[in-house]
Amino acid sequence: MPTIRRDTPADHPALHAIWRRSVEATHHFLTMPEIDALAPLVEQLLGSGALTVWVLVSEEGEPIGWMGMDGAKLEALFLDPDRRRQGHGRRLMGHAIRLHGTVMLDVNEQNPDAVRFYEAMGFTVTGRSPLDGQGKPFPLLQMWRKG
């Protein structure tokens, strides 16, 4: 059974690769140049220590997903696309909920699978922004789940 542990710097290349494959598989509203432009920001974020990063590791010891938390706010959750719909996202979210009780997050409105996932996990929409964190016209839904 996969386990969850804190990240190490040695994990970061694999976590970045998971991010890339996940975004390419789910963020159909982004162009490849837009994804390319985000890649250095993700690398920087992983290396900054600004987030508490939790890694979901397969039975073989390979990272298959990860999430980044800033306190009780989920800032990132990405799974290897080949590992979706196997309960791994639920496992990561369950970990966040056990740690913090109430969890907040922003999700791209144009990623309906993610919105449905968070709703199934008990999150409700509390607000909407017409722009993403970089000021681009990719609406974000603010969601929270009370612990």
Side-chain angles (χ1 to χ4, degrees), residues 6-22:
R6 289 290 305 275
D7 70 320
T8 68
D11 293 321
H12 294 171
L15 301 185
H16 189 268
I18 289 168
W19 168 82
R20 179 75 186 221
R21 288 192 310 276
S22 177

Side-chain angles (χ1 to χ4, degrees), residues 14-30 35 64-66 76-84 111 113-114 118:
L15 301 185
H16 189 268
I18 289 168
W19 168 82
R20 179 75 186 221
R21 288 192 310 276
S22 177
V23 168
E24 288 176 0
T26 61
H27 290 59
H28 305 292
F29 54 93
L30 293 176
I35 294 171
I64 58 174
W66 63 278
L77 190 152
F78 296 99
L79 291 174
D80 183 308
D82 295 335
R83 300 294 193 125
R84 289 179 62 209
N111 186 351
D113 287 345
Y118 293 123

Side-chain angles (χ1 to χ4, degrees), residues 2 10 20 22 33 73 78 82 88 98 104 115 125 142:
R20 179 75 186 221
S22 177
K73 183 164 187 200
F78 296 99
D82 295 335
H88 301 309
R98 281 189 300 280
M104 300 154 287
V115 174
V125 176
Q142 289 86 41

Side-chain angles (χ1 to χ4, degrees), residues 1 7 10-11 19 26 31 43 50 56-57 61 66 70 75 85 111-112 119 126 133-134 139 143:
M1 172 171 290
D7 70 320
D11 293 321
W19 168 82
T26 61
T31 65
E43 285 183 29
L56 182 65
V57 182
W66 63 278
D70 181 3
E75 295 287 355
R85 293 182 167 70
N111 186 351
E119 288 173 340
T126 59
Q134 285 75 45
M143 301 182 83

Side-chain angles (χ1 to χ4, degrees), residues 3-16 18 42-57 61-69 76 92 95 99:
T3 58
I4 298 172
R5 63 167 171 76
R6 289 290 305 275
D7 70 320
T8 68
D11 293 321
H12 294 171
L15 301 185
H16 189 268
I18 289 168
V42 174
E43 285 183 29
Q44 181 182 6
L45 188 61
L46 282 168
S48 72
L51 299 180
T52 302
V53 177
W54 296 95
V55 182
L56 182 65
V57 182
E62 297 298 320
I64 58 174
W66 63 278
M67 69 177 175
M69 304 282 304
L92 283 167
H95 186 72
L99 288 172

Side-chain angles (χ1 to χ4, degrees), residues 107-125:
V107 62
N108 288 101
E109 185 177 63
Q110 294 160 297
N111 186 351
D113 287 345
V115 174
R116 282 191 295 274
F117 167 75
Y118 293 123
E119 288 173 340
M121 291 295 301
F123 285 80
T124 57
V125 176

